[in-house]
Amino acid sequence: MMTTSRKNDPLEPDGRDCDVVTVPARQGLEAVDILRRGAGDAVGPVLHDGGCDTLGFLVPPGTAAAWDVPGSVCTETDGRGICLTPDRPAEGSDWLVPPGEADLATDPAVLREALGQAQRMIEAADGCS
């Protein structure tokens, strides 16, 4: 759960707001579609880099300690470099799914499942060409 800053703005990070799971853009876009088709609001804010090579899913703090999904990296942010406002979050990136349109974080177990399903879909599509 994210706490509020001294300004009482729940969208401003307090230094321990999230970890970020980074994946290749193609797999990430498939995962976003899978999560959006699921029950409820399964996808939290999602970043994309300037070149659209990768996507970053915001996940609860502490996720990085146990993250082991091949082809992805989970990084602790400790509140550095990400501002949870609909404006540009960090230099060289932008929101694919901005805060305010999504939960504050994507559930890591749900994301793990969606990334696996996305990878299987990509492999099947590439095998058909």
Side-chain angles (χ1 to χ4, degrees):
M1 179 175 162
M2 190 169 89
T3 60
T4 59
S5 72
R6 282 177 246 127
K7 297 178 188 176
N8 286 333
D9 183 350
L11 296 178
E12 295 241 341
D14 71 350
R16 297 179 306 278
D17 60 325
C18 64
D19 289 351
V20 178
V21 173
T22 304
V23 299
R26 185 175 178 199
Q27 183 183 17
L29 290 169
E30 290 288 348
V32 167
D33 285 344
I34 291 164
L35 292 167
R36 283 187 164 168
R37 288 190 308 249
D41 295 325
V43 65
V46 180
L47 297 161
H48 66 81
D49 65 350
C52 294
D53 295 325
T54 61
L55 294 185
F57 291 83
L58 274 59
V59 293
T63 300
W67 191 259
D68 62 352
V69 176
S72 68
V73 175
C74 188
T75 308
E76 294 179 28
T77 67
D78 296 328
R80 297 171 302 200
I82 295 178
C83 183
L84 293 178
T85 64
D87 298 329
R88 186 168 292 237
E91 186 66 33
S93 65
D94 208 348
W95 294 110
L96 176 67
V97 180
E101 289 183 18
D103 289 335
L104 291 178
T106 300
D107 181 298
V110 173
L111 179 58
R112 180 184 310 269
E113 185 176 321
L115 289 172
Q117 184 177 351
Q119 186 60 40
R120 290 188 296 277
M121 291 172 62
I122 290 167
E123 289 170 359
D126 288 352
C128 292
S129 51

